[in-house]
Structure formats: structure tokens, C-alpha cells
Amino acid sequence: MHDININTEVVFKIQDAAEFEKICMSIFNFQIKNNPIYCKYATTILKGKEPKNITEIPFLPIELFKTKKIICNGKTKEKIFLSSGTTGKKSQHLVSNSNIYIQSITKCFEKFYGSITDYCFLALLPSYNEQESSSLIYMADMLIKKSNHPQSNYYINNYKELSTIIKELEQAKQPTILLGVTYALLDFAKKYPQQLDNTIIIETGGMKGKRKELIKEEIHDILKKSFNIKTIHSEYGMTELLSQSYSKGNNIFKSPSWMKILIRDINDPLSIIGHNQTGGINIIDLANIYSCPFIATQDIGKTFDNNTFSVLGRFSYAD
């Protein structure tokens, strides 16, 4: 196995764009030498050319996680995360070191929200709880355990109990995170509207075929009115990634320093376009060093010049 002078500790300590680019190009070379699936795809695209910068790196279509075992040579899978897709074959992410995911979850959350132990975590993730191989459940488990709060837990369909717990936490002025899949949050909001002053709602995961699809603005407006709060936060992650982006409102997401969003031209998927233009979302997640850090997703969005981005929808053929 080819070695490079880099490790995940270096990835999580990236400070600026120049350092990101340098480490990213090193990891690209590592992937070419060690990841047979990515190497075959990238060399076919590049046709002998060497990428000069990150915009010239080929991005692996995310659909290949459904049909190929994407992992570097010499690495054994410690864990497999499966997507929650409601149709077709599920994506599988072969994770060789789950400690990298734990580090990524912890460092990313604390970058945007502060210490995990400051919060009580309430997880409203009914469609995921049935899936032992869900990366979102793994993340929620870790946050619940690390919080050390006695009321941090899952609340599946017991909305009444959840409402009572939230009222108790609000009365105690306990900072709380309610992490919920979109359709369950809407159901809870309809049945138990209440005043929230110390609770942050982080919405994730969409409708999962349970309810009619709504645009983000509609969803957030319903939740804001039901709980009398100014903003709804969101988490943007997926089975194929080990890192997350967070929005603290208005569909504006920020990523950690080891992650970068690029936008590809809808009509020319090998071309990267500039800020404020709508296109397909490409993701560089350097925590994915042993699977694939360069992924072309089926999401549509746009980037802005302050290193933020918005998610606007999905390609029409996407699952």
C-alpha cells in the first residue's frame, strides 16, 4: 500500500484554503494509487492529464456506492452504513475506521454549536431507528451518549412524552437539541405546538415518502409558527459522507474546514461553475480518505463567496 505523509489528524487541523488544497491534492494522489474503483473512473476522465487544482479533480458519481465496493486497498471494512433510500438499491459506505467518523461528528458539531455536554439531545428519527446500519442513527447515538444528560434519548412515536420532556427542559432553561426527520417534526408540531426558548430544532432527512414533499421554506414556516421561534436549523449529511454541514437558518449551510462544496454545470457535469449559479452539488470530504472523498451528488444547489452554500432540490431522476 502506498503511503503519503498525511493522516486524519492533519485533515481535522486544516486552517485555510491553501492548506486544504495542498492536503486535498495529496489525498487525490493517494486515492489514485490505492482506490481501484476511483482510480479507474478518474483516469478514464483525465485521459493522462494531471489535475492542477481541486476544480480539475474528477468527482465519483454517488450512484456507484450502490453497485461497487468503494474502499482503498489494504483496508478492511469495520462498519457498513446503508442508505435509507425508499426506492431501488441502497448505497453502502464501507468504513474502515469508525473512529474517524466519531472525530468528524464531534469536531464538526462543536465547531458550530460548542461543547456536546452543554446540551440535552432529543432524537425524533422514526424511519431511521429501524435501521441498525444508518449513519444518522450512529451519529445520534454518539451525541446522546456524549451529552451525558439523563433525558437525552430517542422519542419515536411517543409525542406526548416528548412534549412533556421538552416543557420540563424549557422550564429548567436547559439548552436542548431536537434532531428530527422532517415529516416527524411536522407531525409533532401539528399535535403539540408550544413555545420554545431554549430548544434548537435541527431538521434532517426529508419526508422519506411518508408525506407530500414540500419546499424547505414551507416546512420551516410551519415549524417556526408552531414553536414560536425565529429559525429552524438543518443538518446536511449522507450515508456516503463522514462529515456534516449545518445551517442555522435560511437554507445557508456552512461546512467544516476539511470539507468543500463545488457546483458542477447541469449540462456539462465535468465543468465546475462559479458562485451564485445553480448546478449539481459536488462534495470534497477529506474525512473519507479511505473510501472516496470526491463525490458528485444528485442534489442541486449553489455556493456563495463566503464559503457557504444552499441546497435547492434534487435531480428529477434521483432516488
Side-chain angles (χ1 to χ4, degrees):
M1 185 173 183
H2 297 265
D3 196 20
I4 56 173
N5 295 319
I6 192 169
N7 57 48
T8 52
E9 293 299 325
V10 173
V11 164
F12 292 132
K13 290 176 182 174
I14 290 172
Q15 295 293 319
D16 54 40
E19 195 176 1
F20 179 92
E21 181 117 8
K22 181 183 175 184
I23 292 172
C24 184
M25 297 310 290
S26 294
I27 290 177
F28 166 75
N29 291 326
F30 174 81
Q31 283 277 312
I32 290 293
K33 292 171 182 173
N34 293 281
N35 186 333
I37 301 296
Y38 180 71
C39 178
K40 188 174 181 181
Y41 177 78
T43 51
T44 301
I45 297 294
L46 290 168
K47 298 176 182 174
K49 293 179 184 175
E50 287 279 333
K52 297 183 185 68
N53 55 58
I54 59 175
T55 64
E56 295 181 2
I57 289 174
F59 287 80
L60 192 74
I62 200 166
E63 302 93 306
L64 290 179
F65 279 83
K66 293 181 180 180
T67 57
K68 306 292 182 185
K69 292 183 177 178
I70 299 170
I71 192 168
C72 287
N73 291 328
K75 291 292 176 182
T76 55
K77 61 181 184 294
E78 183 184 301
K79 192 158 191 64
I80 300 177
F81 290 128
L82 297 176
S83 67
S84 60
T86 50
T87 59
K89 194 168 182 178
K90 293 188 175 187
S91 282
Q92 56 174 4
H93 188 180
L94 309 181
V95 178
S96 63
N97 184 349
S98 55
N99 186 52
I100 294 173
Y101 188 35
I102 291 168
Q103 282 191 75
S104 183
I105 293 166
T106 305
K107 291 177 187 293
C108 191
F109 180 88
E110 294 192 336
K111 175 181 173 62
F112 296 116
Y113 292 100
S115 175
I116 291 170
T117 55
D118 288 345
Y119 295 92
C120 175
F121 287 86
L122 311 176
L124 186 57
L125 305 167
S127 56
Y128 290 88
N129 277 79
E130 302 150 12
Q131 303 173 48
E132 291 180 12
S133 301
S134 161
S135 59
L136 181 59
I137 289 297
Y138 191 93
M139 173 178 155
D141 279 347
M142 202 214 77
L143 292 170
I144 286 168
K145 285 170 188 166
K146 280 203 170 192
S147 75
N148 283 326
H149 194 283
Q151 287 168 308
S152 287
N153 209 339
Y154 289 95
Y155 296 86
I156 313 304
N157 296 310
N158 44 343
Y159 292 163
K160 187 175 181 180
E161 183 187 353
L162 175 59
S163 178
T164 302
I165 293 289
I166 290 175
K167 283 173 181 169
E168 288 174 8
L169 293 167
E170 283 286 337
Q171 197 168 6
K173 293 185 167 48
Q174 165 65 48
T176 300
I177 301 273
L178 174 57
L179 175 66
V181 66
T182 310
Y183 76 86
L185 285 173
L186 289 171
D187 288 346
F188 178 63
K190 186 177 179 181
K191 291 174 183 173
Y192 293 98
Q194 57 193 279
Q195 175 71 41
L196 298 183
D197 296 312
N198 302 288
T199 303
I200 296 170
I201 293 178
I202 301 182
E203 165 258 336
T204 189
M207 296 297 191
K208 299 301 173 195
K210 303 284 186 181
R211 287 182 62 155
K212 176 189 166 188
E213 290 292 337
L214 300 171
I215 61 171
K216 284 276 187 194
E217 288 83 354
E218 289 179 283
I219 293 163
H220 288 197
D221 281 346
I222 292 167
L223 295 175
K224 283 191 282 189
K225 285 172 186 169
S226 295
F227 299 117
N228 197 22
I229 50 179
K230 291 180 180 176
T231 56
I232 301 296
H233 295 210
S234 299
E235 181 263 346
Y236 180 71
M238 54 191 74
T239 301
E240 300 84 0
L241 301 178
L242 292 182
S243 302
Q244 309 79 40
S245 300
Y246 286 99
S247 165
K248 293 190 175 183
N250 303 315
N251 194 27
I252 303 295
F253 286 86
K254 287 188 177 181
S255 304
S257 60
W258 59 89
M259 191 177 178
K260 188 170 182 64
I261 307 296
L262 300 171
I263 302 296
R264 68 182 183 273
D265 191 318
I266 287 174
N267 299 312
D268 181 9
L270 299 182
S271 295
I272 300 299
I273 57 178
H275 297 315
N276 299 300
Q277 297 182 65
T278 300
I281 293 178
N282 284 359
I283 298 176
I284 301 175
D285 179 6
L286 298 184
N288 272 22
I289 183 171
Y290 300 126
S291 51
C292 182
F294 314 109
I295 297 173
T297 77
Q298 295 177 332
D299 292 333
I300 295 170
K302 61 171 68 172
T303 56
F304 308 104
D305 57 10
N306 57 353
N307 231 13
T308 60
F309 69 99
S310 283
V311 183
L312 303 175
R314 306 270 285 162
F315 282 96
S316 57
Y317 58 80
D319 290 340

